[in-house]
Amino acid sequence: MWASAGPLAVGVFRGLTGLAVGIGVPASLAMIAEIGPSASRSSLVLICYAALVLGALYADLGLWFFLPDLATGDWRSLCLFSALPAAIALPIGLAELADTPSFFLMRGDSASLERVLSKMSLKNGRPDVVWKAPQQPLLSLEQPPQTEIGFDVTALGASAVPLAACSLLDFSYNFVGFGCGYFFPLIIKELAEGAPIPPVGSLVLASLLGFPALFIAYSLVNSQLGNRQILAAAGGIEACAGCLLFSQGSYGPVLGIFLLKLTMLTFSQTVNTVKGALFPSEIRVSALSVSGTCGRVGALLAPAIIEKTRGEAGSPGEFSVFLGALVLVVSVATTLGVAFLPETKGQ
């Protein structure tokens, strides 16, 4: 993107970036689900979201340096700045990450299974533990070990209802997250017009709400509330926050932004925790990929709706179509998700 001669080339490379994210996110969620014990799985997902909050602040810092008015500046240097974390993560991932024991067990690769489990015992300070592979594959005592990992349509069909519910929730939180990621700079720029701090400063303040949002998510994860109850509460607050954004003046929209920033993380973190716990190992990556694809559709659709339906800048109904869609999507997804998903917390 840094060396692109025009917007078409930027779009192509931006598409490749999205493709990489689409490949990596389901794999990372599957690894957390297969390595983390049930009791700590949601906390591990929450650590990922803590990294997302820090990443948002890092992105805002880049905007502050290179695009302070969110309109003009050195966007090429901003592209390089935004790529630095990935450049640091790549060698660390290559050196430290290994496939999960479940993956090697399904392939019947006993040597790799014992190697990975031995590495895990060392990392956890248990060098005295000696791991041995089971005599038979755990998936079936009658079938031979699986030598190729494929798309198990039959197993996916058996999980059709929870997969559909997860896909709808995935669509919802991506629609809200990416839509608000596109919407917040626009509305904040308008609300901050004439304010003593620049639009990026307002964006930084909004991103800082990610830290109390993390605290709220952590408290709910460790509470007695079930995941379905948490989804119902977070989805309801998001819908109410969307309604507040219809308000005239500045107080209603500011309160709506405040509530959305505080609840979006809880909603998406709970969805990803539930997704990781619902599906068996042999279809987990496939199921997460199907659900994640629905999420990508929501992520693409929300900014497109904003661009195609946005009214005159500063007009009362400037973002009314997007905000109406946000309230509708969250309300429907939360209602159906809570109705059709089983409770996974503590199971």
Side-chain angles (χ1 to χ4, degrees), residues 171 175-176 246 301-302 305 319-331:
F171 177 91
F175 185 93
V176 173
F246 280 102
L301 188 60
I305 289 176
F319 300 105
S320 59
V321 175
F322 165 69
L323 295 176
L326 183 149
V327 173
L328 177 64
V329 166
V330 171
S331 300

Side-chain angles (χ1 to χ4, degrees), residues 25-78:
V25 169
S28 63
L29 291 174
M31 291 184 76
I32 289 174
E34 293 182 0
I35 292 176
S38 298
S40 58
R41 192 174 293 145
S42 56
S43 298
L44 290 172
V45 174
L46 194 60
I47 290 172
C48 295
Y49 275 89
L52 286 176
V53 171
L54 293 174
L57 287 173
Y58 177 85
D60 291 342
L61 185 63
L63 290 170
W64 186 289
F65 288 139
F66 302 112
L67 218 66
D69 62 353
L70 303 181
T72 57
D74 185 5
W75 63 269
R76 294 181 184 273
S77 295
L78 181 60

Side-chain angles (χ1 to χ4, degrees), residues 3 8 15 92 97 118 120 150 218 267:
L8 178 60
I92 297 174
L97 281 180
S118 297
M120 290 172 68
Y218 176 80
F267 190 84

